[in-house]
Amino acid sequence: MRTSTRVGSFTESVIREMTRLALAHDAVNLAQGFPDFPCSQELKDAAKAAIDGDVNQYAITWGAKRFRDAIAAKVTRTYPGWTVDPETELTVTCGSTEAMAATCLALLDPGDEVVIFEPWYENYWPDTMLSGAVPRFVTLHEPDWSIDEAELRAAFNHRTRAIVVNTPHNPTGKVFTRAELDLIAELAQRWDAYVLTDEIYDHIHQYG
Ligand SMILES: Cc1ncc(COP(=O)(O)O)c(C=O)c1O
């Protein structure tokens, strides 16, 4: 199939490929998490009630009001002192994957640069490419996946539009230190770049 140049270099998802290989070779699959517990009864009951109640009209594009209100309340509960306006500062997406793709498409222009720590979670490079932007990789150095301050500083310039942060980090598990986060904040402010935080593991750190 002829695809657009933008997506021509995309490969199959590493996670899906590993799952396919694990099945083919009867191997233990450590690539993909599978819930080994059922969905909560309350959620199943609510979904069935919604179907029976003919809740079948167009949803508000940025998320149902009650849902957004509940998320805003949870943000404040989880991060005391941080308030989010559910009308203007909160959009519900279909997972973090859609959130990151939509954010990149909305904020990046062709030629903009995005700083991405390497190794990176597999969606960040495609998100950047889809937006026509250029990834600038900064290595996390083994054994503790530390940042070389000079390398990070050198990655920023007047074309830098964003930096992607994910802590605890997939795939290394690295938790960024306060000093590293301060450095990222300083550089983002200096170069007027967005910090795109793909935080899906923050609760592990917080409650771990
Ligand atoms: C860092 C990171 N972001 C996003 C995702 C995907 O999240 P979602 O299922 O909410 O799209 C994953 C899943 O492995 C992930 O590790």
Side-chain angles (χ1 to χ4, degrees):
M1 195 205 320
R2 213 183 104 192
T3 58
S4 71
T5 317
R6 278 194 323 280
V7 305
S9 52
F10 287 10
T11 57
E12 185 185 5
S13 149
V14 178
I15 295 170
R16 308 287 162 221
E17 187 178 355
M18 287 300 151
T19 296
R20 192 174 51 74
L21 284 171
L23 283 172
H25 298 284
D26 199 20
V28 177
N29 182 4
L30 299 179
Q32 188 175 354
F34 297 93
D36 57 0
F37 48 87
C39 177
S40 79
Q41 194 56 47
E42 290 89 338
L43 201 53
K44 288 194 271 196
D45 290 344
K48 287 180 215 162
I51 292 171
D52 289 339
D54 290 323
V55 181
N56 60 0
Q57 299 303 309
Y58 283 118
I60 299 173
T61 317
W62 50 95
K65 165 107 180 92
R66 282 176 59 201
F67 191 33
R68 278 181 288 118
D69 287 347
I71 295 171
K74 180 189 174 290
V75 170
T76 302
R77 224 170 34 242
T78 314
Y79 303 103
W82 186 13
T83 53
V84 177
D85 183 340
E87 297 305 325
T88 57
E89 297 179 316
L90 213 155
T91 298
V92 175
T93 60
C94 181
S96 158
T97 303
E98 186 195 347
M100 285 298 286
T103 302
C104 288
L105 286 168
L107 300 182
L108 303 176
D109 275 320
D112 286 346
E113 290 187 5
V114 180
V115 178
I116 297 174
F117 291 108
E118 184 177 31
W120 68 88
Y121 172 60
E122 64 178 353
N123 283 353
Y124 302 153
W125 178 73
D127 287 345
T128 308
M129 301 300 280
L130 277 177
S131 317
V134 180
R136 284 285 299 251
F137 297 111
V138 172
T139 305
L140 295 173
H141 294 281
E142 293 185 71
D144 57 351
W145 309 107
S146 57
I147 296 173
D148 181 315
E149 181 174 338
E151 275 175 32
L152 185 59
R153 284 190 184 280
F156 279 78
N157 62 71
H158 66 279
R159 285 184 299 274
T160 310
R161 188 79 169 141
I163 177 169
V164 178
V165 178
N166 154 235
T167 177
H169 174 256
N170 183 356
T172 65
K174 171 193 173 64
V175 176
F176 285 65
T177 64
R178 179 77 214 189
E180 289 169 334
L181 294 175
D182 284 345
L183 174 64
I184 291 167
E186 179 213 310
L187 290 168
Q189 279 168 356
R190 162 139 188 241
W191 295 101
D192 197 19
Y194 291 106
V195 180
L196 310 182
T197 59
D198 181 23
E199 298 310 354
I200 75 166
Y201 303 118
D202 54 332
H203 288 17
I204 298 176
H205 181 225
Q206 201 167 22
Y207 301 125

